Amino acid sequence: MNGTNGTDARVVATLDGASMRRLTTGQVILDGIDWSVRSGEHWALLGPNGAGKTSILRLIGATAFPTTGTVEVLGHRLGRVDVRELRAHIGHVSTSQRVPRDLTGHTVVLTGHSGTVQPLWKTYDSEVRDRARELLAELQIKDLADREYGVCSGGQRARILIARALMANPSLLLLDEPFNALDLPSREDLIDTMRRLADNRPGLATVTVTHHLEELSPAISHALLLKEGRVLARGAVEDVLTADRMTACFGRPIEVTRHAGRWLARSGGLA
């Protein structure tokens, strides 16, 4: 099931008039963002560099606060909740995450239980260790359990980090450019992983920041287009990822096609 559109879907994150400005310069980063994510929805977050994509992830990941407006995550409003406890229920995957290269794949996943970079061995009982191995198997990388993270490929590392993020059994999984610098086979493996994850966890909501439509899995149900810190379009993926809207978002003619659930965008030439 790709996305949940029924009225019984639980809201997991809501931005209501949320804006962000740089304290030092007053520069507007986000301007009056209204947006909600519900359980079972899988969002693609797209826009030019500097549009505010990562800033939105920081808000719904409870690692930043809006300058004005409100942000609610998992039923709690930022500013009225201990964000450290809230973050424990949000999965976050980024290729910029600092992971010790000498840890094994299994150990990296274990650190998702303690939310630490280095392992806290006393906190990992047999049940926790078994769960880490189950997640590696679910993501079809159980053969990486004893392999050092530093010698894994980019695609393997991305899947290890997703398994790590799932250790807390999150309701919301945020992926910040997880396909960065992946070759074609690794990209396709990760796309297939995201599709299976959506099938196996129908209540999980995901938000994926990417620059390329080709990186979107068939599980993506919704899309948000950002331009200069404002929402250009949001909603069902087939309504948002149109040639007209992509052209308006990126400032040059763009052709958009879809085949077997996969997307392709290419420039139609100079305006």
Side-chain angles (χ1 to χ4, degrees), residues 91-117:
H92 198 168
V93 175
S94 171
T95 54
S96 65
Q97 285 173 287
R98 296 182 179 179
V99 176
R101 296 174 61 86
D102 61 341
L103 298 183
T104 65
H106 181 249
T107 301
V108 172
V109 177
L110 280 176
T111 63
H113 175 76
S114 50
T116 58
V117 175

Side-chain angles (χ1 to χ4, degrees), residues 50-207:
K53 301 184 296 294
T54 296
S55 295
I56 283 188
L57 279 196
R58 292 180 65 206
L59 288 178
I60 63 176
T63 61
F65 294 86
T67 307
T68 57
T70 62
V71 176
E72 292 191 4
V73 183
L74 304 180
H76 300 281
R77 180 172 296 187
L78 298 192
R80 300 180 182 177
V81 62
D82 186 337
V83 292
R84 294 169 300 181
E85 294 184 5
L86 191 57
R87 290 171 195 155
H89 302 284
I90 303 169
H92 198 168
V93 175
S94 171
T95 54
S96 65
Q97 285 173 287
R98 296 182 179 179
V99 176
R101 296 174 61 86
D102 61 341
L103 298 183
T104 65
H106 181 249
T107 301
V108 172
V109 177
L110 280 176
T111 63
H113 175 76
S114 50
T116 58
V117 175
Q118 294 289 348
L120 299 180
W121 295 111
K122 292 182 179 179
T123 67
Y124 309 142
D125 59 19
S126 59
E127 183 178 348
V128 171
R129 292 168 185 259
D130 288 345
R131 174 164 170 72
R133 293 191 181 278
E134 289 169 1
L135 286 170
L136 287 168
E138 179 182 347
L139 272 65
Q140 298 187 354
I141 48 172
K142 62 181 181 180
D143 57 317
L144 303 180
D146 299 319
R147 187 178 303 180
E148 287 191 359
Y149 182 79
V151 301
C152 292
S153 69
Q156 291 169 338
R157 292 181 190 180
R159 284 186 282 170
I160 289 172
L161 292 178
I162 291 173
R164 179 184 185 274
L166 293 174
M167 277 296 288
N169 195 27
S171 300
L172 177 62
L173 180 63
L174 310 178
L175 302 105
D176 192 1
E177 298 189 42
F179 301 92
N180 188 33
L182 297 187
D183 60 18
L184 181 60
S186 295
R187 184 192 76 181
E188 293 303 303
D189 285 343
L190 186 53
I191 289 171
D192 194 46
T193 293
M194 297 307 300
R195 179 191 57 77
R196 291 196 310 272
L197 198 62
D199 289 340
N200 295 338
R201 297 170 179 264
L204 178 68
T206 68
V207 179

Side-chain angles (χ1 to χ4, degrees), residues 22 27-31 33 45-56 209 211 224-232 249-250:
R22 296 192 191 281
Q27 175 190 358
V28 175
I29 302 171
L30 295 173
D31 188 7
I33 304 295
L45 188 52
L46 301 112
N49 289 335
K53 301 184 296 294
T54 296
S55 295
I56 283 188
V209 169
H211 287 287
L224 174 70
L225 292 183
L226 280 177
K227 184 175 183 179
E228 298 177 347
R230 298 182 177 91
V231 174
L232 184 67
C249 187
F250 289 93

